[in-house]
């Protein structure tokens, strides 16, 4: 309901997926704040948080989101995620806006 296929598959491989899930939810919430709209006309699954080994986390957008917000390019967002035990935090910035 809240996560894309890539996020779900990665969580399934973890011994304890709770911190991962919490941090991804926090990232999506931070993204909606950076966008300035909240989750208006799109949902949590329209934004996927990806992270390749040795690379910073990044957002991926659904086709629906791209059509709603053509000015929001994936490469224009910076994302930082952290989690520790029972806490997860994320910040997202829309660069060059």
């Amino acid at each position: 309901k809240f996560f894309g296929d890539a996020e779900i598959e990665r969580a399934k491989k973890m011994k304890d997926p709770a911190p991962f899930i919490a941090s991804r939810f926090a990232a999506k919430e931070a993204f909606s704040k950076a966008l300035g709209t909240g989750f208006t006309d799109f949902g949590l699954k329209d934004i996927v948080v990806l992270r390749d080994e040795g690379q910073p986390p990044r957002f991926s957008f659904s086709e629906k989101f791209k059509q709603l917000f053509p000015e929001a390019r994936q490469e224009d967002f910076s994302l930082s995620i952290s989690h520790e035990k029972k806490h997860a935090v994320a910040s997202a910035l829309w660069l060059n806006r």
Side-chain angles (χ1 to χ4, degrees):
K1 182 175 176 178
F2 300 133
F3 300 99
D5 293 340
E7 293 165 314
I8 292 168
E9 288 307 312
R10 186 154 179 212
K12 284 181 179 179
K13 295 176 183 177
M14 299 179 169
K15 182 178 178 182
D16 179 11
F20 173 84
I21 290 168
S23 67
R24 280 4 187 218
F25 189 89
K28 292 175 187 224
E29 182 70 22
F31 175 84
S32 77
K33 302 280 197 269
L35 190 63
T37 64
F39 290 100
T40 302
D41 298 326
F42 70 97
L44 290 164
K45 285 183 82 168
D46 291 309
I47 308 301
V48 175
V49 178
L50 302 174
R51 185 174 177 276
D52 298 324
E53 190 67 35
Q55 298 295 315
R58 59 188 166 82
F59 294 109
S60 177
F61 306 147
S62 72
E63 288 304 316
K64 174 184 174 181
F65 181 86
K66 290 177 188 178
Q67 289 177 2
L68 288 169
F69 300 95
E71 72 281 10
R73 301 177 316 150
Q74 293 165 273
E75 60 270 17
D76 289 340
F77 288 87
S78 176
L79 172 61
S80 177
I81 304 172
S82 184
H83 55 80
E84 158 81 41
K85 297 182 183 174
K86 295 183 178 185
H87 302 281
V89 64
S91 64
L93 298 173
W94 189 351
L95 310 170
N96 304 318
R97 184 173 185 197

